[in-house]
Amino acid sequence: MFEKREIYRAIGELAYVIAKATNGLQPEEKAAFMQIIKEELKFEAWAAESRFEILDEKIHPTIDHAYNEALHGLKLYKEQLTPELKTTAVTVLRKVAQACGNTEIDEFILDRFESDLKKF
């Protein structure tokens, strides 16, 4: 299903925002992200992984731009954004934040995301 794949891609983009927010993107943070999405997204991990890779290797957006793009994607497919998917998104982002040191910036982004997610 195309819509669900786009939601997973948005999760990957949001994870990129968390990973990049503090000290840029370190190899260990990227490795942690890959492990987390395999555990949490299972067979759909490839969609989040591909988005994360494209952002990291080709596009290099600002964290604000990437965050807004991800939210836009979630808004477009909010009808398919089930409570389970919302929980999964928050879980993935929290685990990525923990792997990245869980800084004040990470907490700010997580709080903002949880607040924005309630609007859907």
Side-chain angles (χ1 to χ4, degrees):
M1 180 178 343
F2 174 78
E3 294 85 0
K4 199 168 187 181
R5 181 177 51 215
E6 290 301 307
I7 290 170
Y8 288 125
R9 290 174 70 121
I11 292 170
E13 191 154 8
L14 290 163
Y16 173 85
V17 168
I18 294 286
K20 183 106 172 146
T22 306
N23 298 321
L25 188 58
Q26 305 301 316
E28 53 276 357
E29 294 168 344
K30 187 174 178 179
F33 164 74
M34 297 301 176
Q35 183 62 37
I36 291 164
I37 61 164
K38 287 177 183 166
E39 291 170 3
E40 295 296 328
L41 303 183
K42 313 279 189 262
F43 299 113
E44 303 296 338
W46 68 270
E49 181 180 346
S50 69
R51 186 64 183 156
F52 190 98
E53 294 271 336
I54 289 169
L55 294 170
D56 181 40
E57 295 173 10
K58 302 217 183 310
I59 299 174
H60 309 288
T62 65
I63 59 172
D64 194 46
H65 181 77
Y67 181 89
N68 289 330
E69 284 292 313
L71 269 199
H72 178 71
L74 293 175
K75 283 179 191 174
L76 285 176
Y77 304 108
K78 64 183 175 187
E79 289 79 26
Q80 287 78 31
L81 191 57
T82 64
E84 294 81 17
L85 276 174
K86 288 180 180 181
T87 299
T88 298
V90 171
T91 299
V92 167
L93 297 183
R94 288 221 169 267
K95 286 184 175 186
V96 169
Q98 287 174 340
C100 295
N102 209 28
T103 66
E104 285 183 33
I105 296 169
D106 296 333
E107 284 301 316
F108 175 79
I109 295 167
L110 287 165
D111 289 345
R112 180 177 169 194
F113 176 64
E114 288 179 351
S115 175
D116 288 340
L117 200 56
K118 290 176 184 174
K119 298 173 188 172
F120 298 152

